[in-house]
Amino acid sequence: MRTPAQPPYPAHWEADVVLRDGGTARLRPITPADADRLVAFYERVSDESKYYRFFAPYPRLSDRDVHRFTHHDYVDRVGLAATVGGEFLAVVRYDRIDEDGRAATEPADRAEVAFLVQDAHQGRGLASVLLEHLAAVARERDIRRFEAELLPANTRMAKVFTDAGYSQRRSFADGSLHLTLDLEPTARSLAVMRAREQRAEARSVQRLLAPGSVAVVGVGRRPGGAGRTVLAGLLAGGFTGPVYAVNTALPEGATELGGVPAHRTVADIGAPVDLAVLAVPAPRVAGAVADCAAAGVAGLVVLAAGHDRDEQRALVHLARSHGMRLVGPNAFGLINTDPAVRLNASPAPRLPATGRIGLFTQSAAIGIAVLDELARRGAGLSTFVSAGNRADLSGNDLLQYWDEDPATDVALLYLESVGNPRKFTRLARRIAAAGTPVVVVRGGRHSGGLPPHGHAVPTSHTPEPTVSALLGQAGVIEADTATELLDIGLLLAHQPLPQGPRVAVVSNAEALGLVAHDACRAHRLRPLDPDGLGPAALPADFGAALATALADPGVDAVVVAVVPTVGETPGAAADHTDRLLEDLAPALHTALLDTGAGKPVVVAQLALDALAAALTARGIPVYPSAERAVRALARAVGHAEWRAGAAHSGHVPAFDDIDEDTAAELVADAADPRRTVTLDQAATHRILTAYGCLLDTFDAC
């Protein structure tokens, strides 16, 4: 009797997943080659968990059990495992059954399901994510419901099923709890899946941005080089955890580099390492990742460029299969200004000031430019991620993190492509509607979206006008340049949204007031006549005019335009300018606080950099021209209008001549998840007819 051939391995069921604590795991089908892994896994499970799984003491698996649990036909019997570093952390399986609970084959559409999770890894969300993926596999194999038998004391596993969001029924018989889950996705099950995804991805970013310890791999023995630069930045920024240097050529007996403990490998450190910054050449990155994997590092930043797509995929696979998230390759690094962390894991020479802006960029050059501009304007940020080729960590992950980060009031992103517009817009809409504006500038949007030389990022195949329309509908504010990105971000991070387009202009120069007035009209705002204070205006005059404008119910926002005054004598002009520098910022800030009107104020100033820093420190954004101030204000007005619309959900109109149920049945009958389906003319006609299209040809509808 010949042994049945092993069915083809369903590689498309493999997946890298992010778990509840931010770690990662590899999900894949179980194969006959996993026998030893399964036995080792079972030995690490407690007797209590085994009892819950088998309803009886079951200290070890028999040879027959091992064969049954590792040999599957991937149709009627399927087993999946969650692995890290090749080790099983959890397993799940289904067996197709008939209505009487006996083993069955197609067309039976139900299956019995069971889990087992290592005790040390319970609470990480492994069972929930395995159930989510096994349900997708079951639907692909025409299984429509799961059944499970649980001991009443197994409350943790019962909660996994209950919390999944599927329609379910439960009953008690013979001392056990019987659950039946309908696997058709529901609004609640989709919401549960997205909430799980959001928590997991946010936590994975949080682990990167708030590590307990950092190792810099590739620290040279002499000053200079990327490793030394990153190490110096960590120390100068005052990182609050331990820092280690790693150099594979460390001389025998050497124990220190750059003022921190030094080792030849990460594994030699002998203490937990939460984040490793790999400052080594591209050919050595894979080896460094493997070293970090062996040492149990939680996250990686890869600075080196020069990896092609296949090499990037291999790096991500290696990192994720060992529970690590990866930033890069070609990354500039991570920054977190939280006083409890003070992380500068980048080549940036200094830790920026603490602020309310979160910044994500693919381009290191853009990141450097924005950081420099923030410093020049006296502003700060909460967190910064420069992900380079974003082979793993992407802007979507940062949106998930910023959604629940109390330190971030506005999210700024510089993207060289939008790889998954549907997910990006879904996330952006959610956090923008919740009160965190999302501002995006897309590099190359007018040049075909080609990535810069050296990058190997996936580009979106969605046409440019379609992407812009999707972003606009999701409430994303699109900026044209990195400079405008920061202009908008500074306003949204520090000022309330305007309630309308009516703008008061206060200025000490008639010409500058008119420039601001015309800029408002060009951007479809409604400017009031400028309040000309005259060239001799003192700070108190500006404060009084601002207070009057803010108290006016016909004003939604104020532009204050300031210019140095040329007096009758050079000495008089210099003296007047000095008084502006010393007293104008406090006067404007006092007027803003005293009025309490909740209206945005922006300042356009010419050649008064000291005033700019003083105002920025008080939360009033300053711009070097009236046009830039007004343009940022106009974007804020547009976003406020979107927010007002998003707060009132619409409704789907009902039409008597539309039969959605019939149309859905026709589509379901025609669909086949295993292949691309092309509808013939008759099938298309039936579907269109169900949607109220009464036609004899395809020329109308």
Side-chain angles (χ1 to χ4, degrees):
M1 181 176 179
R2 290 190 303 174
T3 302
Q6 179 66 17
Y9 178 77
H12 65 288
W13 292 349
E14 294 183 349
D16 291 322
V17 296
V18 183
L19 304 177
R20 185 177 297 156
D21 61 357
T24 65
R26 181 75 172 169
L27 265 58
R28 63 171 178 81
I30 297 174
T31 74
D34 289 319
D36 290 341
R37 291 187 184 90
L38 182 66
V39 171
F41 159 76
Y42 196 75
E43 289 176 350
R44 287 188 290 268
V45 175
S46 70
D47 290 340
E48 181 182 53
S49 294
K50 293 172 183 175
Y51 187 86
Y52 283 153
R53 168 64 177 85
F54 293 104
F55 289 30
Y58 215 90
R60 63 186 58 84
L61 296 175
S62 67
D63 291 343
R64 181 179 178 183
D65 291 330
V66 173
H67 184 276
R68 182 162 61 97
F69 294 152
T70 56
H71 287 69
H72 306 95
D73 61 11
Y74 303 129
V75 176
D76 299 324
R77 291 179 296 109
V78 171
L80 301 180
T83 71
V84 169
E87 175 187 320
F88 281 14
L89 305 186
V91 296
V92 64
R93 62 179 286 110
Y94 79 64
D95 293 270
R96 196 187 298 260
I97 57 175
D98 61 18
E99 294 182 359
D100 298 320
R102 294 189 296 262
T105 59
E106 292 185 283
D109 66 351
R110 66 185 62 195
E112 186 176 32
V113 62
F115 294 87
L116 191 58
V117 181
Q118 262 193 55
D119 296 70
H121 295 280
Q122 291 178 8
R124 301 183 65 196
L126 282 161
S128 296
V129 75
L130 279 170
L131 176 61
E132 180 183 308
H133 283 256
L134 190 68
V137 169
R139 288 192 294 268
E140 182 179 327
R141 296 311 195 211
D142 295 324
I143 291 173
R144 296 292 174 252
R145 58 186 57 83
F146 277 163
E147 298 189 4
E149 294 286 341
L150 301 175
L151 289 173
N154 194 358
T155 55
R156 177 172 287 181
M157 195 56 65
K159 190 174 188 301
V160 170
F161 288 107
T162 301
D163 291 349
Y166 295 111
S167 299
Q168 62 178 269
R169 297 180 299 279
R170 57 173 55 199
S171 61
F172 289 91
D174 300 325
S176 66
L177 170 64
H178 182 83
L179 291 174
T180 301
L181 275 69
D182 187 338
L183 299 184
E184 186 67 26
T186 65
R188 183 166 176 262
S189 70
L190 292 174
V192 167
M193 179 186 69
R194 288 173 177 172
R196 181 198 62 75
E197 174 190 74
Q198 190 274 327
R199 289 191 301 269
E201 292 178 356
R203 175 60 179 152
S204 73
V205 175
Q206 194 271 339
R207 293 207 314 174
L208 291 166
L209 287 170
S213 57
V214 178
V216 182
V217 181
V219 176
R221 285 176 286 172
R222 290 178 293 276
R228 279 278 188 162
T229 301
V230 172
L231 183 62
L234 280 165
L235 298 178
F239 176 62
T240 56
V243 178
Y244 307 99
V246 176
N247 183 322
T248 57
L250 190 69
E252 189 71 30
T255 60
E256 182 180 297
L257 279 177
V260 303
H263 303 271
R264 290 187 176 181
T265 69
V266 177
D268 290 341
I269 292 173
V273 174
D274 296 319
L275 178 68
V277 182
L278 307 187
V280 298
R284 292 173 50 197
V285 167
V289 172
D291 178 33
C292 292
V297 173
L300 305 170
V301 175
V302 179
L303 303 182
H307 296 85
D308 62 31
R309 292 192 180 187
D310 289 339
E311 290 169 333
Q312 287 184 172
R313 291 190 188 100
L315 289 178
V316 173
H317 175 74
L318 177 59
R320 284 211 165 194
S321 65
H322 285 82
M324 300 183 289
R325 295 299 308 263
L326 184 147
V327 182
N330 201 18
F332 187 68
L334 310 174
I335 292 174
N336 184 355
T337 63
D338 182 348
V341 181
R342 300 188 61 82
L343 174 72
N344 178 17
S346 79
R350 66 186 67 87
L351 185 73
T354 301
R356 310 295 303 176
I357 294 173
L359 175 63
F360 173 87
T361 174
Q362 289 180 246
S363 165
I366 295 297
I368 294 169
V370 174
L371 290 175
D372 286 347
E373 181 67 8
L374 278 168
R376 192 183 71 80
R377 295 170 72 167
L381 50 77
S382 59
T383 48
F384 165 83
V385 175
S386 173
N389 295 5
R390 62 175 188 183
D392 180 16
L393 196 82
S394 71
N396 287 347
D397 295 293
L398 268 295
L399 288 179
Q400 301 278 40
Y401 172 75
W402 287 325
D403 184 26
E404 57 182 34
D405 178 28
T408 301
D409 288 337
V410 59
L412 308 185
L413 300 98
Y414 178 89
L415 304 174
E416 288 163 1
S417 68
V418 182
N420 186 343
R422 185 183 297 274
K423 181 176 181 180
F424 181 85
T425 52
R426 171 171 60 83
L427 299 180
R429 179 182 180 87
R430 187 186 72 221
I431 76 168
T436 302
V438 179
V439 190
V440 171
V441 60
R442 291 186 288 130
R445 59 181 292 196
H446 300 302
S447 57
L450 295 177
H453 177 71
H455 281 231
V457 297
T459 56
S460 171
H461 298 291
T462 309
E464 156 60 28
T466 303
V467 175
S468 288
L470 285 171
L471 295 178
Q473 290 174 5
V476 173
I477 305 168
E478 274 208 273
D480 289 328
T481 65
T483 298
E484 188 187 1
L485 179 80
L486 189 54
D487 283 350
I488 299 168
L490 287 172
L491 191 157
L492 295 174
H494 299 290
Q495 294 289 301
L497 287 175
Q499 298 303 304
R502 301 166 300 179
V503 180
V505 178
V506 175
S507 180
N508 65 338
E510 181 179 1
L512 187 56
L514 289 174
V515 168
H517 185 277
D518 290 346
C520 287
R521 292 176 62 88
H523 289 287
R524 300 183 180 180
L525 301 179
R526 291 166 52 190
L528 284 66
D529 291 336
D531 187 351
L533 300 178
L538 296 173
D541 301 319
F542 275 95
L546 176 59
T548 299
L550 289 172
D552 186 345
V555 171
D556 299 308
V558 182
V559 175
V560 179
V562 186
V563 64
T565 303
V566 179
E568 295 180 1
T569 66
D575 181 63
H576 185 69
T577 298
D578 288 343
R579 279 184 289 167
L580 278 178
L581 289 175
E582 292 175 3
D583 301 328
L584 184 55
L588 294 180
H589 189 240
T590 299
L592 188 60
L593 292 178
D594 289 347
T595 306
K599 300 173 182 178
V601 175
V602 296
V603 173
Q605 57 84 34
L606 302 182
L608 296 176
D609 287 342
L611 173 62
L615 283 166
T616 300
R618 290 171 169 81
I620 301 175
V622 181
Y623 302 88
S625 70
E627 292 90 344
R628 281 174 59 179
V630 169
R631 185 175 178 85
L633 184 60
R635 296 303 184 97
V637 169
H639 185 66
E641 293 173 350
W642 179 88
R643 283 279 304 276
H648 303 286
S649 58
H651 66 280
V652 179
F655 298 96
D656 294 336
D657 60 344
I658 292 180
D659 186 352
E660 290 190 40
D661 292 339
T662 297
E665 290 177 5
L666 291 168
V667 172
D669 289 342
D672 185 336
R674 290 162 290 192
R675 62 185 179 87
T676 301
V677 177
T678 302
L679 297 177
D680 59 25
Q681 182 169 321
T684 305
H685 189 281
R686 288 195 297 273
I687 292 174
L688 292 177
T689 300
Y691 276 101
C693 299
L694 303 177
L695 67 166
D696 294 324
T697 70
F698 289 94
D699 296 330
C701 184

